[in-house]
Amino acid sequence: MTTTVPPSIRWPRPFRYVYTANLADSLGFQVGYLAVPVLAVSVLAATPGQVGLLAVLGTAAFLLVGLPAGVWVDRSPRRTVMVAADLARAALYASIPLAWWADALTLGQLYAVVLLTGVGTVFGDVAAQSFLPELVGRDRLVAANSLLMTTNATIQIGGRGFGGLLVQWLGAPLALALNAVTHLLSALALTRVRPIATVAIGRDRPAGGFGRQLAEGVRHVLGNRLLRPLAVSLASINLTVNLMTTMLPVVFLRELGLGAGALGLFLGAGGVGALLGAVTARPLAARIGHGRALWLPGLLVAPAGALVALVDTGAWLWLAGLGWLALAWRTGIGNVIGVSLRQRVTPDALLGRMNATFRFLLTGAIAVGAGLAGLLGQYAGARTSLWVGAIGAAFTWLPLYRSPVRTLPDPDRLPPTAG
């Protein structure tokens, strides 16, 4: 008697290599997410304004090269772009512990590394999201994205907590050496997907000049009745949540006197929420519809940001962690359903530019949020930044509710030109 394996489980081998690469990158990212601001605060004595600038530079690359990256990705072998991005980031992260060991590490170098690794992330992420439909087919995008988001959220749970302990034990400079190793491992795994990567390169190559191709991607997102409200809502989420996350290290380390380990465990609660969101996204969407699954969780967790803004020692720390978990749960659901919708309604030839446009808007919002957080933290106090972010986060579901996304059917039933 033979057992039939569900189609969503029989992933092609090239996808398994990409999944492995994503696994390695995610682990390094979670450690670096905590280690970089802790390094700035505890080793380089950065002020709240400098911490905010560091966060801005971490996302500034998406504003500087985000849109052009989509055109280049659509013109290039996507696997090659992903490998090159990993190797560049590995070299940049390795420079931090080397400079620290030589007693030559400065905020200037940290700024440069964060900015340039952001450029690598732009190209790597855009290429990866554009590559996925080739690897698994459009009919399994929701399942594939659910698997990737679930894995990332699982790593976030342990990664940030482990990262906090690693920073506490070894120090932030040595902890960042792990990022270089993980990017090297990711590049190695990606070299194994060459057979798939060469099949479709050059297929549906974009026509026209560079500017025309770039504008075509922007028009596809902003002119689509499904993608436009999705972009507005997700950008709002990124801006408001980053108003909180940018100042959390300052609140934890300086105001509350808690260590990097406590900060890592707190941020790890967000990983639990993201995991729950990624796991529940498909069954929730099947039960209430994909449209409702995109906006209703945002309404349900609207008060959660206030709990984060009230973070303190004792019981309030646990309540704030619960609020952080709830916000991340909403984000986990939106990542699975929203990314699948984007990929489903976009033709193959526009995938790179669509993803780049979203990255430009969403990560640009993170940069704006980080900049505002730095200004608010410097001149009005870190708590003010937490409260402004919390109030704004309570209304981020409205653009989806007031659009056709509210009654969206299963994205797998939509044609690539829907909207």
Side-chain angles (χ1 to χ4, degrees), residues 149 153 273-279 281 327-337:
M149 302 301 175
L275 173 61
L276 292 174
V279 170
L327 291 175
W329 172 74
R330 179 270 313 271
T331 302
I333 292 174
N335 283 342
V336 172
I337 305 300

Side-chain angles (χ1 to χ4, degrees), residues 115 124 161 164 214 227 235-236 253 333 341 390 405:
L115 176 63
L214 187 151
L227 298 184
S236 301
L253 300 178
I333 292 174
L341 171 63
V405 174

